[in-house]
């Protein structure tokens, strides 16, 4: 692996430092304490009952530089297995369970895409990557992408026409996986939205080609290290919340109970470092990430992006980020809120209009995946939206 080079953008001469996050009261943040008490209670309710939404949940929310809610509920590890014969979960004995804490790391799943997107926009800021450049200009050996003229913008906006995924986990080795990716042509109409992990995988290969460094190094040096996100990296992460008892037929590979290594089967087959999945982080670290973007790319003395390039990331339809999506943003949507969700139960939303952020992390796939239900994410975001106390200038 290439050596890590110094972090980018750490404090230009004459620049003021952006305020760091601090824990304080809702009132200090300009948020209604009653609404946030409801948010905290509803998070606990998500982990109770015979069929909880998730084994465990962490929520971190705030406004400006203030964290007003930081709450953990339930269990990081609750189950030993899923029994396919009875269709029931197998609970661990009480003494073997691991309680959820606000410091518990989670498998971020598709939230990894946001870090890949930021790494790409950093290269745009440096002038080494063109947003409308063709992928084939950087990766001529990716013959199908080159032949169809797929662009970097199309990868970041999921408009390349590539299918959602490929069964890379069934390939014999990396040579076969790479050959499959190189030969993959769009099935959909370019310019039409189709969410696809393959977009961010191709973008990973572009970034690694133009920089000569692997994606984990790029993200560490360019994002997590300058921001002091010490709990954020690609796995393995032994202390992470458990995910799935991963077995066929409900999963795509047979691995047993997964904890501390990436849940996504393709990212696992690729060695755990992938443009679409593979990273682990905590609620507090992701709050720093949100705060950095809300502050125009700076946090403390570090600057990871210029404000114009943050705007490029977050302007509809968003580059890597989803924008104005009520299905998980609730009432935060509709005014420029941006964010993403992850298959394992993770999500984040940042709202530039009110300078608020919400990180909701859960292990909803523990002990096995279920039909997606994002209503708790939307409800949490709605609570935060309703807690915002308008400033005198907006009333």
């Amino acid at each position: 692996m290439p050596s890590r080079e110094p972090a980018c953008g750490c404090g230009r001469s004459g620049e003021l430092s952006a305020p760091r996050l601090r824990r304080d009261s809702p009132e200090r943040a300009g948020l209604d304490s009653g609404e946030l008490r409801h948010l905290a209670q509803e998070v606990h309710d998500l982990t109770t009952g015979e069929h909880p939404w998730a084994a465990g949940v962490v929520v971190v929310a705030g406004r400006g530089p203030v964290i007003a809610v930081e709450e953990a509920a339930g269990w990081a590890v609750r189950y030993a297995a899923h029994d396919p014969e009875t269709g029931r979960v197998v609970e661990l004995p009480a003494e073997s369970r691991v309680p959820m804490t606000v410091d518990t790391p989670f498998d971020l799943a598709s939230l990894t895409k946001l870090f890949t997107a930021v790494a790409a926009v950093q290269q745009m800021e440096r002038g080494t990557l063109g947003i409308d450049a063709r992928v084939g200009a950087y990766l001529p050996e990716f013959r199908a992408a080159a032949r169809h003229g797929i662009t970097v913008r199309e990868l970041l906006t999921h408009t390349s026409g590539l299918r959602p995924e490929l069964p890379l986990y069934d390939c014999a080795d990396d040579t076969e996986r790479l050959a499959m990716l190189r030969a993959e042509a769009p099935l959909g109409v370019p310019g039409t939205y189709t969410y696809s992990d393959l977009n961010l995988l191709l973008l990973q290969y572009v970034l690694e080609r133009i920089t000569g460094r692997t994606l984990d190094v790029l993200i560490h040096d360019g994002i997590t290290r300058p921001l002091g996100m010490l709990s954020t990296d690609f796995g393995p992460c032994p202390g992470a919340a458990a995910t799935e008892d991963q077995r066929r037929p409900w999963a795509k590979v047979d691995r047993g109970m997964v904890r501390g290594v990436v849940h996504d089967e393709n990212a696992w087959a690729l060695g755990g470092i992938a443009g679409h999945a593979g990273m682990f982080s905590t609620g507090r670290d992701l709050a720093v990430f949100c705060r950095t973007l809300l502050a125009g790319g700076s946090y403390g003395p570090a600057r990871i992006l210029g404000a114009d390039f943050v705007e490029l990331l977050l302007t509809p339809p968003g580059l890597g980020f989803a924008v104005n999506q009520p299905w998980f943003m609730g009432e935060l949507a509709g005014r420029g809120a941006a964010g993403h969700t992850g298959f394992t139960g993770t999500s984040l939303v940042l709202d530039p209009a009110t300078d608020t952020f919400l990180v909701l992390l859960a292990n909803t796939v523990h002990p096995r995946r279920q039909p997606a239900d994002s209503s708790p994410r939307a409800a949490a975001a709605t609570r935060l939206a309703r807690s915002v106390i308008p400033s005198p200038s907006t009333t």
Side-chain angles (χ1 to χ4, degrees):
M1 180 181 294
S3 61
R4 301 185 191 264
E5 66 178 34
C8 73
C10 288
R12 289 177 172 178
S13 176
E15 283 188 349
L16 295 176
S17 294
R20 295 179 182 273
L21 285 171
R22 68 181 190 277
R23 186 76 163 89
D24 212 327
S25 67
E27 291 76 13
R28 292 273 188 173
L31 300 171
D32 180 81
S33 59
E35 291 285 356
L36 295 188
R37 280 196 297 272
H38 283 299
L39 171 59
Q41 182 57 56
E42 287 160 359
V43 163
H44 281 272
D45 292 344
L46 293 173
T47 67
T48 60
E50 186 177 357
H51 301 290
W53 181 68
V57 181
V58 169
V59 62
V60 182
R63 188 181 190 188
V66 175
I67 292 176
V69 177
E70 191 172 24
E71 195 84 13
W75 304 94
V77 185
R78 176 175 176 175
Y79 304 106
H82 173 81
D83 185 349
E85 298 297 324
T86 64
R88 299 181 66 85
V89 298
V90 180
E91 299 242 17
L92 287 166
E95 65 274 11
S96 298
R97 299 179 191 175
V98 179
M100 192 69 76
T101 74
V102 294
D103 297 318
T104 299
F106 284 77
D107 179 335
L108 296 186
S110 284
L111 295 194
T112 301
K113 293 180 171 74
L114 302 182
F115 290 87
T116 305
V118 170
V121 174
Q122 286 177 330
Q123 295 304 315
M124 294 175 196
E125 185 176 29
R126 293 180 177 183
T128 57
L129 181 65
I131 188 169
D132 289 312
R134 296 190 174 193
V135 170
Y138 305 106
L139 302 171
E141 70 275 22
F142 280 65
R143 300 178 302 280
R147 186 170 63 254
H148 289 271
I150 292 174
T151 67
V152 171
R153 186 190 296 272
E154 288 172 342
L155 297 181
L156 282 163
T157 56
H158 295 283
T159 56
S160 67
L162 292 171
R163 73 180 83 186
E165 67 170 7
L166 288 169
L168 303 176
Y169 45 83
D170 281 338
C171 293
D173 52 33
D174 287 344
T175 299
E176 186 177 334
R177 293 182 190 100
L178 189 56
M180 183 180 286
L181 283 169
R182 288 174 172 173
E184 180 66 12
L187 294 181
V189 178
T192 302
Y193 181 86
T194 301
Y195 182 82
S196 172
D197 289 347
L198 303 183
N199 288 317
L200 279 294
L201 267 179
L202 260 64
L203 187 59
Q204 173 187 357
Y205 286 107
V206 169
L207 292 172
E208 293 180 342
R209 175 65 55 83
I210 65 177
T211 65
R213 295 185 291 158
T214 53
L215 182 65
D216 58 327
V217 174
L218 287 171
I219 290 174
H220 176 271
D221 288 355
I223 305 172
T224 60
R225 185 170 68 178
L227 297 181
M229 297 172 63
L230 301 180
S231 298
T232 305
D233 207 345
F234 287 92
C237 182
T243 54
E244 186 174 33
D245 180 11
Q246 202 167 82
R247 286 184 279 160
R248 294 180 174 92
W250 58 84
K252 300 161 188 169
V253 295
D254 295 298
R255 298 165 65 197
M257 186 62 72
V258 177
R259 185 187 183 198
V261 292
V262 63
H263 171 272
D264 181 89
E265 292 95 339
N266 274 342
W268 169 71
L270 291 165
I273 299 171
H276 71 286
M279 293 185 70
F280 291 77
S281 188
T282 62
R284 176 65 72 104
D285 266 19
L286 291 177
V288 170
F289 184 65
C290 291
R291 182 66 215 142
T292 301
L293 297 175
L294 287 168
S298 296
Y299 185 77
R303 184 189 68 79
I304 63 165
L305 273 179
D308 289 348
F309 287 89
V310 173
E311 185 177 356
L312 182 65
L313 268 175
L314 305 182
T315 297
L319 299 182
F321 287 77
V323 181
N324 293 331
Q325 299 296 314
W327 62 274
F328 78 94
M329 296 178 181
E331 291 181 9
L332 285 178
R335 54 193 181 192
H340 215 286
T341 63
F343 186 81
T344 51
T346 58
S347 61
L348 65 82
V349 184
L350 51 99
D351 180 23
T354 57
D355 202 21
T356 55
F357 60 88
L358 172 75
V359 177
L360 186 67
L361 304 176
N363 51 350
T364 57
V365 298
H366 182 54
R368 71 162 280 190
R369 64 192 72 185
Q370 302 292 336
D373 175 14
S374 281
S375 57
R377 295 177 173 121
T382 295
R383 279 292 182 198
L384 180 60
R386 292 177 179 179
S387 77
V388 174
I389 300 171
S391 62
S393 63
T394 63
T395 58

